[in-house]
Amino acid sequence: MAYILLVDDEDDLLWVVGRSLYDDGHTVRMAHDGDEALDMAQRQRPDLIVLDVAMPKMDGFALCHTLHTRSNLADVPILFLTGRNTIEDRLRGFEEGADDYLTKPFDLRELKARIKVLLRRSPNNPHLSSRTAVLRAGNLTLDLHTCQAEVAGAPVQLTPAEFDLLGYLMRHPNEVCSSERLLREVWNYTPETAEPGLVRWHVMNLRAKIEPDPRHPVHICTVPRHGYILRTEQVA
């Protein structure tokens, strides 16, 4: 099973969530602040980090940003579990590189379902590491074995959620994909269980990394009231 790092300054929450994940067969470690979590992640790379925002020393946003600057930790999936529930907080979380965002109070069953989805996409998943295909669409390249992405030969750092989204669109070039379809087929979510705006935020962050001008995208384009399309004829 997976090694999951829980980061929160609430002891009761750590105990309840940690015990439930342990009973499911996972190895669980706990940290009470961002500094402690970063040290633990550096010593042993987790398969997933479940992270609060409001913590002493280094808060969750700063920790998420720092993790994505470390080459050995940049592709670890991150799920925010926090009481910060404004649109600005959610947007900040995804901008810092989160793969999912769940607000407190929460249903433990939903948390475990989202964890299951993220672990299925983790780079340490043996089913993923055995795939050696390289996807190409226009000047975009994805190596599914190394989880590396390139735009016109230049490497770009994608989060696991962004990598999965781009990979799906590259497998369906010049095809309109609705948000509901992307939630279901990329991340195994339903519109009812997914974080509102999840697709929109990941598309926005992905555009910031692969588009010459994110305000006028030529790779991932919006089709009003229908979804998104990867236009390969414009990026060849």
Side-chain angles (χ1 to χ4, degrees):
M1 301 298 285
Y3 162 36
I4 300 174
L5 178 58
L6 301 180
V7 191
D8 201 300
D9 59 351
E10 297 182 36
D11 287 327
D12 290 344
L13 183 143
L14 287 176
W15 189 89
V16 170
V17 175
R19 183 69 205 185
S20 181
L21 295 176
Y22 176 82
D23 288 344
D24 285 346
H26 299 297
T27 298
V28 181
R29 299 287 183 269
M30 303 177 188
H32 294 83
D33 59 65
D35 287 347
E36 182 183 11
L38 182 60
D39 180 66
M40 293 175 68
Q42 293 274 42
R43 286 188 278 112
Q44 182 180 359
R45 185 184 185 281
D47 297 308
L48 172 69
I49 298 175
V50 179
L51 178 61
D52 191 14
V53 173
M55 297 183 296
K57 299 182 181 179
M58 184 191 304
D59 70 16
F61 291 144
L63 175 58
C64 187
H65 176 82
T66 301
L67 289 167
H68 283 291
T69 67
R70 307 294 172 91
S71 59
N72 61 321
L73 299 171
D75 60 354
V76 175
I78 295 175
L79 187 158
F80 272 108
L81 179 63
T82 176
R84 302 276 289 270
N85 60 3
T86 68
I87 292 296
E88 290 75 15
D89 289 325
R90 290 183 171 92
L91 183 58
R92 173 80 184 278
F94 287 114
E95 287 176 341
E96 297 295 356
D99 294 276
D100 203 352
Y101 196 106
L102 181 62
T103 58
K104 304 172 184 176
F106 62 96
D107 188 299
L108 188 58
R109 294 168 300 178
E110 181 179 0
L111 173 63
K112 292 167 71 173
R114 295 194 183 197
I115 286 173
K116 184 177 180 180
V117 169
L118 291 175
L119 289 175
R120 194 155 50 232
R121 306 197 322 258
S122 170
N124 290 339
N125 186 325
H127 298 293
L128 294 181
S129 62
S130 64
R131 301 186 326 191
T132 58
V134 175
L135 298 178
R136 292 185 176 87
N139 64 357
L140 303 175
T141 303
L142 285 188
D143 188 317
L144 301 180
H145 177 64
T146 63
C147 294
Q148 298 298 308
E150 293 182 353
V151 180
V156 292
Q157 183 68 57
L158 304 181
T159 68
E162 293 162 359
F163 188 93
D164 288 343
L165 174 58
L166 183 56
Y168 184 87
L169 292 172
M170 290 175 69
R171 291 187 185 93
H172 301 85
N174 303 307
E175 183 176 329
V176 178
C177 299
S178 68
S179 293
E180 291 76 13
R181 172 179 168 181
L182 293 173
L183 285 171
R184 183 180 64 253
E185 298 189 15
V186 178
W187 301 300
N188 295 310
Y189 288 136
T190 65
E192 294 75 27
T193 59
E195 168 65 26
L198 184 71
V199 175
R200 183 175 69 255
W201 283 323
H202 283 319
V203 168
M204 180 179 64
N205 290 336
L206 188 53
R207 283 171 171 165
K209 297 179 179 181
I210 70 171
E211 298 285 356
D213 181 356
R215 296 170 300 176
H216 303 92
V218 295
H219 298 285
I220 302 175
C221 301
T222 300
V223 180
R225 297 183 297 278
H226 290 85
Y228 303 95
I229 184 171
L230 180 71
R231 297 193 184 278
T232 59
E233 70 272 10
Q234 295 186 30
V235 296

